[in-house]
Amino acid sequence: MQKVVLGISGEIASGKDTVGDYLAEAHGALKLRFSQPLRDTLDCLHLEQNRENMARLSMHLRKAFGEDVLSRVILAEAEGSDAEFVVVDGIRRLPDMVHMETDEHFYFCYVDVTPEKRFERLTHRRQNTDDASKTAIQFEKDAQLETEVGIRDLKDRADFVIDNDGTLDELHAQVDEMVIELQRRSAKEESM
């Protein structure tokens, strides 16, 4: 199989990490996260890893180094790896998407879920330092951050849309079907 790069996007707490983790565990994918360079930088600066700090840092990095700075970093890491299957979790913006689409073996998956289910998951998962105490009003405010507002528009560019309002088993079944289709497409491209 040729190297396949699969980008994953979805709104806050849609299940992107769950999909990426499952692809890594069940299908041997190398998982990269768009937020990791931001998290690493915040750690180096001894700043809290919360959504506001990551949004602010992202904005300043893009202003200083170009709108697609994070996608350039992540795509270089994906292409430089030995892995045949790379999952890039957390595409949030059209400039990132456009840059990733330049890779001929790039595919895109959008994880869709209702706002109510996303809020419930966010307050239970505690990925960021302020998740557990988040109110519904704060959750809605976070959805209006500059790093969040364009995510829903990316759904129209998706090769695959996964509905994550159901059970974990249902999610895994959809991901397995997507992997079969990715393998089929990769084999077809390889034979050309």
Side-chain angles (χ1 to χ4, degrees), residues 43-61:
D43 283 348
C44 286
L45 297 171
H46 301 283
L47 294 172
E48 192 175 341
Q49 285 187 22
N50 61 39
R51 196 162 303 282
E52 186 178 334
N53 284 348
M54 286 193 290
R56 187 178 302 143
L57 178 59
S58 173
M59 181 183 68
H60 289 294
L61 286 173

Side-chain angles (χ1 to χ4, degrees), residues 6 10 16 21 24 38 44 46 64-65 86 89 93 109-111 135 142 150-151 161 163 174 177 183:
L6 175 69
K16 300 177 295 292
D21 289 345
L38 300 174
C44 286
H46 301 283
F65 300 107
V86 180
D89 177 9
R93 305 174 56 259
C109 171
Y110 187 88
V111 183
T135 66
D142 282 351
I151 293 174
V161 176
D163 176 359
Q174 290 178 76
E177 288 174 24
Q183 290 168 338

Side-chain angles (χ1 to χ4, degrees), residues 11 13 20-21 29 52 76 102 105 110 117 128 140 157-158 174 191:
E11 294 180 274
D21 289 345
E52 186 178 334
T102 63
H105 304 293
Y110 187 88
K117 185 69 91 173
N128 295 318
E140 290 174 21
R157 300 177 87 90
Q174 290 178 76
S191 68

Side-chain angles (χ1 to χ4, degrees), residues 72-86:
R72 286 185 280 129
V73 168
I74 295 295
L75 193 54
E77 194 170 334
E79 290 174 345
S81 78
D82 292 335
E84 290 184 359
F85 186 20
V86 180

